[in-house]
Amino acid sequence: MQTSWDHRFAHRTSGMKSSFIRELLKVTAQPDVISFGGGFPAGELFPLERTKAACEKVIKDNGQKALQYSTTEGYTPLREWILEFSAKQGLKASLENILLTSGSQQALDLIGRIFINRGDRVLTESPTYLGALQAWNAYGVNYVTIDTDNDGLNTDQLESIISTNIKFQYVLPNFQNPMGVTMSLERRKKLVELANKHSVPLIEDDPYGALRFEGESLPTVAVIDAEVNKRSDQVFNGNVIHTSTFSKILAPGLRLGWVIAPPEVIKKMVQAKQGADLQSSTFDQYLAYELVKGDWIDEHIALIRKVYRERRDVMLEAFEEFMPEGTTWTTPQGGLFLWLRLPEGCDTIELFPIAVEEKVAYVPGQPFYPNDGPKNTMRLNFSASNPDLIREGVRRLGNMAKRSLATIKHRPSMRTDE
Ligand SMILES: Cc1ncc(COP(=O)(O)O)c(C=O)c1O
């Protein structure tokens, strides 16, 4: 007899939903659909030959170690490389501050495991990264939200909310997913000031920080906080948990990310990670180290920045040409995404089947709002398609939007002359 599983699942699974994006993108997996939906880096920039040579070198020089179990904290030379990489961005820390994770997504999951009790109030941006919501929903979290605009999270709104029993705040200051916006320096400082004043920890998710292709580089929230909570030694010990990843500078298939946090937090995360997966892949860590340890990685990151900037520009130009009047969009200074707002009355979830007919895909904006948000927004990825496809895809999106607006105008309830 076939077992019925539904009533056997733990209560917390009722908060688990399949990722809206991943479900939706299955529809668009056909090769003739131009997809701006996924958060994919440009696959043609992956260093295939170099990776092949690095695999061979790891096997030749360290084969047994690389295929063996290893420590939960991660391969020390790779952790040391991350410390150097972070120090170049002003974030000084030591080995006891750093944990290697299976993608930065795992860092978010571990944060949920060690911090969130049922009913806890967690402050997020609105809209925010869907994967964080997916990681934390199972723990019965209550989201308290602050609007994000072109200058990032609106710290004016934060003043009155931060004192309302918030467990932690989750922020994406650099090229935010989904909007592509950057938090201003003034707001970063205010955020750190308020977080310290009210003793509310800050989770800074920074997967895209190294991919700035325009504008002045700004200190991360972790760097600003370290200034406030200054210590004489190299140990990072403040109010911030900072996460980042190799996914966007090397390859997401490696599933390698990291957390920089006070030692007390790292110790607890290590315990949680032992229960989850013991450690991240030893082989992948050796491989990543082999790839990043020389000067090549700097050239590679520079190349990624150049290509993404060109693609962003092509997308922005195509909007000017093809999108209907009244459409607005963000202009990211880095990262992979931008945010488009269609004229009032358009509903990007309702429009999705029309987009699929036009053979173009995007992610509707509404699921990125933890509570509720406008219906006329969408997230578009500009890193994964070449310029010709970007132009053609935006032309198709423009057609879809114009078709939708024509029907809206003909709906009796929308007529303004009645
Ligand atoms: C804001 C943000 N955080 C975390 C992640 C997870 O990335 P990964 O697990 O590949 O490091 C992503 C992936 O796109 C992201 O956009």
Side-chain angles (χ1 to χ4, degrees), residues 42-107:
E44 64 274 31
L45 299 185
F46 293 153
L48 298 188
E49 285 308 313
R50 221 166 241 282
T51 305
K52 190 172 158 211
C55 282
E56 279 169 11
K57 188 155 187 328
V58 168
I59 293 289
K60 188 163 147 282
D61 297 350
N62 284 299
Q64 287 199 17
K65 284 187 191 150
L67 292 171
Q68 190 54 278
Y69 285 117
S70 176
T71 57
T72 306
E73 286 82 352
Y75 180 43
T76 304
L78 186 60
R79 288 161 69 219
E80 283 168 348
W81 182 87
I82 293 167
L83 289 176
E84 268 176 43
F85 182 72
S86 305
K88 282 186 208 153
Q89 293 150 22
L91 181 55
K92 296 197 182 74
S94 48
L95 276 177
E96 60 200 291
N97 292 122
I98 180 158
L99 169 66
L100 240 297
T101 52
S102 301
S104 53
Q105 185 66 29
Q106 184 181 45

Side-chain angles (χ1 to χ4, degrees), residues 12 109-110 112-113 116-120 135-141:
R12 67 179 165 279
D109 178 60
L110 298 178
R113 287 180 196 225
I116 304 175
N117 290 321
R118 183 156 288 279
D120 274 352
W136 299 333
N137 283 345
Y139 300 104
V141 65

